[in-house]
Amino acid sequence: MGRLQQCVYRVEPAVFLADFANRLERFRDAAGLSWRALARELRLNVRSVHRWRTGARPDAGHLFALFSLAAELGLIQRPATRSRELVEERNHSRSAASL
């Protein structure tokens, strides 16, 4: 009897935005922050933000921090908050229609 072949698993890399550096620049401009102030808000070293500008990928925790900062600054709405608003609007319109 021969040896059983072991399974080979390949993990495909996640697709990441090619224009992340441009989006980061637009985010910084919209927030009205300098690169140093952006790094300070994210509690990062300025070099980390510079690496993102030159093509490095931020990890999931840093992306979450970016989204949280954008939500705090009012640049985006949190999906949960927006979903709750939509449900309330729908319930209000249904109650108004039933009157």
Short mmCIF file of all heavy atoms in Angstrom, two decimals, residues 15-16 32 51 53-54 59 86-87 91 99:
data_model
loop_
_atom_site.label_atom_id
_atom_site.label_comp_id
_atom_site.label_asym_id
_atom_site.label_seq_id
_atom_site.Cartn_x
_atom_site.Cartn_y
_atom_site.Cartn_z
N VAL A 15 -8.58 40.25 -1.89
CA VAL A 15 -8.47 41.32 -2.87
C VAL A 15 -8.47 42.64 -2.11
O VAL A 15 -9.35 42.91 -1.30
CB VAL A 15 -9.65 41.27 -3.87
CG1 VAL A 15 -9.58 42.42 -4.84
CG2 VAL A 15 -9.64 39.94 -4.60
N PHE A 16 -7.46 43.44 -2.35
CA PHE A 16 -7.34 44.71 -1.67
C PHE A 16 -7.38 45.82 -2.71
O PHE A 16 -6.95 45.64 -3.84
CB PHE A 16 -6.03 44.78 -0.88
CG PHE A 16 -6.00 45.86 0.14
CD1 PHE A 16 -6.71 45.74 1.31
CD2 PHE A 16 -5.28 47.01 -0.07
CE1 PHE A 16 -6.70 46.74 2.26
CE2 PHE A 16 -5.25 48.01 0.85
CZ PHE A 16 -5.96 47.88 2.04
N GLY A 32 -9.68 66.89 7.25
CA GLY A 32 -8.97 68.12 7.60
C GLY A 32 -7.80 67.87 8.53
O GLY A 32 -7.48 68.71 9.37
N ARG A 51 3.76 54.14 5.17
CA ARG A 51 3.82 52.86 4.45
C ARG A 51 2.54 52.59 3.69
O ARG A 51 2.56 52.05 2.58
CB ARG A 51 4.11 51.72 5.43
CG ARG A 51 5.53 51.70 5.89
CD ARG A 51 5.80 50.45 6.73
NE ARG A 51 6.91 50.73 7.62
CZ ARG A 51 6.84 50.79 8.93
NH1 ARG A 51 5.71 50.53 9.56
NH2 ARG A 51 7.89 51.06 9.66
N ARG A 53 0.65 54.82 2.44
CA ARG A 53 0.66 55.73 1.29
C ARG A 53 1.53 55.20 0.16
O ARG A 53 1.31 55.54 -1.00
CB ARG A 53 1.18 57.10 1.70
CG ARG A 53 0.22 57.83 2.61
CD ARG A 53 0.82 59.07 3.20
NE ARG A 53 1.42 59.96 2.22
CZ ARG A 53 2.29 60.90 2.51
NH1 ARG A 53 2.67 61.09 3.76
NH2 ARG A 53 2.77 61.67 1.57
N THR A 54 2.51 54.37 0.49
CA THR A 54 3.42 53.85 -0.52
C THR A 54 3.08 52.42 -0.95
O THR A 54 3.87 51.79 -1.64
CB THR A 54 4.88 53.90 -0.02
OG1 THR A 54 4.98 53.16 1.20
CG2 THR A 54 5.32 55.33 0.20
N ASP A 59 -3.65 46.35 8.40
CA ASP A 59 -4.32 45.13 8.85
C ASP A 59 -5.77 45.44 9.22
O ASP A 59 -6.22 46.59 9.17
CB ASP A 59 -3.56 44.47 10.00
CG ASP A 59 -3.50 45.33 11.24
OD1 ASP A 59 -4.16 46.39 11.30
OD2 ASP A 59 -2.79 44.94 12.18
N LEU A 86 -33.41 52.99 8.98
CA LEU A 86 -34.27 52.51 7.90
C LEU A 86 -35.45 51.71 8.45
O LEU A 86 -36.58 51.84 7.98
CB LEU A 86 -33.48 51.65 6.91
CG LEU A 86 -32.47 52.41 6.05
CD1 LEU A 86 -31.64 51.43 5.24
CD2 LEU A 86 -33.15 53.40 5.14
N VAL A 87 -35.20 50.88 9.46
CA VAL A 87 -36.27 50.10 10.07
C VAL A 87 -37.28 51.02 10.73
O VAL A 87 -38.50 50.85 10.60
CB VAL A 87 -35.69 49.07 11.09
CG1 VAL A 87 -36.79 48.46 11.92
CG2 VAL A 87 -34.90 48.00 10.35
N ASN A 91 -41.19 51.38 9.73
CA ASN A 91 -42.25 51.19 10.72
C ASN A 91 -43.13 52.42 10.82
O ASN A 91 -44.35 52.32 10.96
CB ASN A 91 -41.67 50.84 12.08
CG ASN A 91 -41.05 49.46 12.11
OD1 ASN A 91 -41.35 48.62 11.26
ND2 ASN A 91 -40.16 49.22 13.06
N LEU A 99 -53.33 54.42 9.24
CA LEU A 99 -54.27 55.38 9.82
C LEU A 99 -55.26 55.79 8.82
O LEU A 99 -55.91 55.90 8.13
CB LEU A 99 -53.53 56.62 10.34
CG LEU A 99 -52.63 56.36 11.53
CD1 LEU A 99 -51.90 57.67 11.87
CD2 LEU A 99 -53.41 55.90 12.73
#
